[in-house]
Amino acid sequence: MKLLYDLYAPQMLSVCHRYVNNSDEAKEIFQEGFYLVFKNLKQLKNPEALSGWIKQIFVNSSLNYIKKQKKLYVVSEINEGIEFAFNGNIIEDISADEIIELIKDLPIGYRTVFNLYAIEGYSHKEIAQRLGISVGTSKSQLFDARRMLKKNLARLEKRVELVG
Amino acid sequence: MKNELEHIDFDTKLKAKVEGHELNGTDELWSGVQKKVLASRYKRKFFFFRALSIVVILALISTIMFYEFGFKEAQISSNESIEQIEESKKAFQNDLVSEENLIHDEEYIAPILKSPDKVNLVNNLNEDSHLYPELNEILDASTTDSSNFNKGEELKTQIVKHDKFLEIFENNNRNIKSESSHKDIKTKVAIDTSKNLIDLNQITNNYLLNSNIEVDTLKGFTESTNLDIDFLEYKNNQNQISEDTSNFIDNLVIRKSDVDENTEIDTSSLDLVQMNTLNQTDSVEITIPNKSGPNRFALTPYISPLYSDRYLKVNSIISGSSDYISAFRQSETGKISYEFGLDLNLEINDKWQIISGVNYSNLGYQYNPQEIDLEHDTINDQFSLYSSVGNHKFEGEEFDEEGEQEQDEEDEISFKSKINLSVISVPLGIERYFNFNKHQLVVESSITFNYILSNALIINQINFEGEDQSNDFVFRNIEGINRFFVGARLGFGYQFNLNDKLALMVKPNVFVSFSELNSNAFVRSFPLSYGLKTGIKFSL
């Protein structure tokens, strides 16, 4: 049991941190996730898909936690036609920790949709079904998430430029 | 297009950076996981044994109750029936009459039922005294609803009664001889001619006037048979007999061997009217009341309005998913529907019955999706329908559209949708009856085996253009639905027995499915319905 834990814990902890912006909440999801892994391990029919299966459990646990806490709400920012231009290379220059912090800074609705679509690879239709929202809402949340991330990346780029 | 590529590029870069990122955990985290896992193992075992003990206790209680109150009663009642039959058999055995000539209860009762005074029957019988207790029971148990005898038969019966009376009379005075003569004692027993009874003047001729029987002796006879014949009255009122004597004659026990077609009747004393009556055969049939046995089977055709709905569960890897489900369910309601069928009951005893049958019901639910996306794969002729409350796929030929398709983009549109399931079911269960004379309370518990004959999703698109317009889109054969599912029904009802063959039944009930309609979906759906069965029960 410890072996499995040691193998996947660091990665899964990062997954949990991406969905909530509170360290304690991430730990709670993390523990719940591993509990479910050990509880349902016998049901796994395809051992080759173990890592994907485990990740799926943690994603589901995160979503479940968010819904349970009634935290999922959608925000619409009205930024009329403002585009944030930035050099895509900034993504290469900053660390993964900083990118995760940028993602955590997103409102929970943007963050959840962005994680599911851009990182986990779900379609809008699947996201809509999972979260109980419409496809249109999912698309708009993703659009706004990207806009905000780009805005924040642009600021970061300027700071980097200033610093040097 | 350019934007889309930029977005994909953006997402890809971020994903590449984030995926594989790791954070170091602490020992505290591992301890927390261990505690959770160990706690669940204890809880599982505890729950398992607790559930097992409850099931065992319930099974024991059910068995004891059934044995004590159901099975034993059936046994006792059947034993009683056997005892009653045996006693009755003994009652009719007599040295003078062979067993094959004895009549069983039903045949024997008919003549006796004309008697208005069953108590005197017991008192007035002498040589048939061994019949007394059993006869009382039979008379009490039988109905008095006998129809008229055939006139000729009736007269014959009465004649035989008379002979029987004489026989009894003679036997009681067998060894009595008297020298006194009472020629002036006339006993003309004129019995009510409406009953076709005959004149018993033979009593006077054969036993009173000519037998030299003293009045005291006669009185002795009457006392021994509890008759109260006022012979002085007879002297003065030649056309009357005492009520007791009339009752005695009426209540004489007649055996079949006494009145069958081979019985010879001495017609020498009969007048013309009586002769004609004896020869009459036209009349109503004799209805010999039979003690009806238990009605074993019953059929109940019924109809039932239904409120049909569903309940949801998500896959077990998601815990605490009630909020997720409630979000889903906010857009849904049940629908008013119907059920009809035929129940078949098998009576075990007067408290327990086995129930089965077959019925048809229309199940489903309604929901109001905020958005609906409809995609048509023209190559495969397949429609895919996406909404916030579910996705469905249909083959092209399964799509029916009623109404106009044209729609202005500026229209306000709302959707109402419903799922229709045509289901045929076979229940198998048990009913417990609580009897209050003609009224009965019924508790039904049954398992139902259900098969979906057809299913459809109907979307009603409502456009508002100053007036309501609506289009119906019908999608048949929803993908991924399990045709066969199992559930349980629980009902509490009331039954009013009009007679022993017919009853009215009203039974509110609830049906819950154990197996899901869509086993491979993230959200699993279980049909649920509330009904009010109303029917007429025919006992066979």
Side-chain angles (χ1 to χ4, degrees), chain B residues 57-68:
Chain B
I57 289 168
L58 280 175
L60 275 173
I61 291 171
S62 305
T63 308
I64 291 167
M65 278 182 69
F66 182 73
Y67 179 75
E68 284 296 322

Side-chain angles (χ1 to χ4, degrees), chain B residues 72-91:
Chain B
K72 248 191 179 175
E73 258 199 35
Q75 240 188 4
I76 289 168
S77 62
S78 66
N79 284 343
E80 280 179 348
S81 304
I82 293 168
E83 283 167 5
Q84 195 173 22
I85 291 168
E86 292 298 326
E87 291 282 341
S88 302
K89 271 190 185 171
K90 282 182 204 170

Side-chain angles (χ1 to χ4, degrees), chain A residues 110-137:
Chain A
Y110 296 177
R111 185 193 325 139
T112 307
V113 173
F114 182 82
N115 271 318
L116 289 174
Y117 187 88
I119 312 297
E120 317 302 347
Y122 287 93
S123 68
H124 283 298
K125 294 172 179 66
E126 287 167 327
I127 293 170
Q129 189 181 359
R130 289 285 189 105
L131 301 183
I133 58 176
S134 68
V135 170
T137 304

Side-chain angles (χ1 to χ4, degrees), chain B residues 234-251:
Chain B
Y234 284 158
K235 275 171 69 177
N236 298 325
N237 301 295
Q238 294 179 354
N239 293 323
Q240 288 182 336
I241 59 167
S242 74
E243 188 178 342
D244 287 332
T245 306
S246 175
N247 288 341
F248 175 75
I249 295 168
D250 275 347
N251 295 333

Side-chain angles (χ1 to χ4, degrees), chain B residues 305-320:
Chain B
L306 280 189
Y307 179 78
S308 174
D309 202 346
R310 67 172 182 166
Y311 70 96
L312 303 176
K313 284 184 184 178
V314 291
N315 285 331
S316 63
I317 59 173
I318 296 295
S319 64

Side-chain angles (χ1 to χ4, degrees), chain A residues 1-2 5 10-11 13-14 17-18 27 30-32 34-36 38 55 60 64 67-68 70 86 91-92 94 96-97 99-100 114 118-119 125 129-130 133-134 136 146 149-150 153, chain B residues 7 10-11 13-15 17-26 28-30 32-34 36-37 40-41 44 316-321 323-324 327-328 371 373 375 386 388 391 522:
Chain A
M1 196 161 97
K2 186 69 168 42
Y5 174 84
Q11 196 178 350
L13 191 57
S14 172
H17 272 278
R18 268 197 283 119
K27 285 178 186 173
F30 176 81
Q31 287 176 349
E32 176 71 12
F34 261 109
Y35 159 68
L36 291 171
F38 291 126
K55 191 176 180 188
N60 290 334
N64 185 55
K67 284 197 150 296
K68 193 176 172 183
K70 295 183 168 46
F86 74 101
I91 299 175
E92 311 286 342
I94 62 175
D97 287 333
I99 290 178
I100 287 178
F114 182 82
I119 312 297
K125 294 172 179 66
Q129 189 181 359
R130 289 285 189 105
I133 58 176
S134 68
R146 284 178 181 146
L149 279 171
K150 286 179 183 175
L153 280 167
Chain B
H7 289 149
F10 178 74
D11 292 346
K13 285 183 180 175
L14 281 178
K15 182 177 178 178
K17 205 75 179 177
V18 164
E19 227 177 24
H21 177 257
E22 295 181 352
L23 285 172
N24 290 326
T26 61
E28 186 193 340
L29 277 176
W30 170 237
V33 171
Q34 275 185 306
K36 247 181 149 55
V37 171
S40 79
R41 281 183 189 165
R44 262 208 309 266
S316 63
I317 59 173
I318 296 295
S319 64
S321 54
D323 290 326
Y324 183 82
F328 227 91
E371 262 183 39
D373 288 339
E375 292 180 1
Y386 304 98
S388 57
N391 305 330
F522 176 67

Side-chain angles (χ1 to χ4, degrees), chain B residues 271-328:
Chain B
D271 62 22
L272 193 61
V273 171
Q274 288 168 332
M275 282 292 290
N276 288 337
T277 304
L278 192 65
N279 293 326
Q280 277 180 1
T281 56
D282 58 327
S283 184
V284 296
E285 290 182 357
I286 297 173
T287 302
I288 299 172
N290 286 325
K291 205 172 183 181
S292 59
N295 300 316
R296 299 283 298 176
F297 289 95
L299 285 174
T300 311
Y302 71 89
I303 57 169
S304 170
L306 280 189
Y307 179 78
S308 174
D309 202 346
R310 67 172 182 166
Y311 70 96
L312 303 176
K313 284 184 184 178
V314 291
N315 285 331
S316 63
I317 59 173
I318 296 295
S319 64
S321 54
S322 57
D323 290 326
Y324 183 82
I325 290 172
S326 64
F328 227 91

Side-chain angles (χ1 to χ4, degrees), chain B residues 62 64-77 294-296 345-355 429-437 439-445 491 493 495 497 507 537:
Chain B
S62 305
I64 291 167
M65 278 182 69
F66 182 73
Y67 179 75
E68 284 296 322
F69 301 112
F71 180 69
K72 248 191 179 175
E73 258 199 35
Q75 240 188 4
I76 289 168
S77 62
N295 300 316
R296 299 283 298 176
N345 285 63
L346 169 63
E347 185 181 313
I348 301 170
N349 54 45
D350 62 345
K351 288 183 181 171
W352 295 92
Q353 295 187 10
I354 294 174
I355 183 168
I430 198 156
E431 283 185 331
R432 172 71 162 92
Y433 285 76
F434 300 89
N435 301 310
F436 306 98
N437 293 326
H439 306 276
Q440 289 177 307
L441 296 178
V442 184
V443 177
E444 176 194 340
S445 171
Q495 187 168 295
N497 297 314
K507 194 190 297 178
K537 191 172 184 180

